[in-house]
């Protein structure tokens, strides 16, 4: 498997919690990110299973980070905006094969 220099960290949180995600990511070494609006499609079964109320409006935070800080960024985001918080965020990472415009 190819080791990539960068990872894309994606976090989906309830609307209004993206600043908390960015703050957590920056504390772990990230520089910045992009926030887009989204709408969740969870159903009542998911609400019962996880015992949470699912807000349909979401914010998606995308952050490209160096691979060596990915785990710290994910842990920091989870601590401040994860499922156990009001943000009810989920976060994951994907490898980035190529980049342009990143110094």
């Amino acid at each position: 498997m190819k080791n990539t220099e960068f990872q894309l960290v994606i976090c989906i949180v309830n609307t209004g919690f993206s600043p908390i995600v960015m703050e957590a990511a920056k504390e772990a070494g990230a520089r910045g990110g992009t926030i887009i609006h989204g709408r969740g499609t969870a159903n009542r079964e998911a609400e019962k299973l996880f015992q949470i109320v699912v807000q349909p409006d979401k914010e998606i935070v995308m952050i490209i980070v160096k691979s060596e800080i990915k785990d710290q960024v994910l842990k920091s985001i989870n601590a401040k905006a994860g499922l156990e918080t009001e943000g009810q965020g989920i976060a994951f990472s994907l490898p980035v094969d190529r980049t342009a415009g990143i110094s």
Side-chain angles (χ1 to χ4, degrees):
M1 184 169 160
K2 183 173 147 182
N3 188 11
T4 60
E5 184 179 357
F6 295 101
Q7 295 279 320
L8 173 63
V9 172
I10 299 172
C11 182
I12 304 166
V13 289
N14 289 334
T15 297
F17 288 88
S18 58
I20 293 170
V21 171
M22 284 308 312
E23 178 183 314
K26 286 182 178 180
E27 286 175 5
R31 290 180 166 177
T34 300
I35 302 164
I36 58 176
H37 180 75
R39 188 160 178 82
T41 60
N43 58 29
R44 297 239 182 250
E45 291 173 13
E47 289 180 349
K48 288 178 185 176
L49 178 65
F50 294 112
Q51 298 178 346
I52 58 174
V53 176
V54 178
Q55 293 181 5
D57 290 329
K58 303 291 180 186
E59 291 173 336
I60 299 112
V61 183
M62 300 180 296
I63 309 161
I64 294 179
V65 298
K66 293 253 186 194
S67 293
E68 55 264 15
I69 67 166
K70 172 201 53 148
D71 289 336
Q72 297 96 298
V73 171
L74 286 168
K75 286 177 186 175
S76 184
I77 290 171
N78 187 54
K80 296 196 174 183
L83 280 175
E84 302 296 320
T85 71
E86 287 185 59
Q88 295 181 342
I90 60 168
F92 57 93
S93 67
L94 299 169
V96 176
D97 287 341
R98 297 173 194 235
T99 61
I102 296 178
S103 56

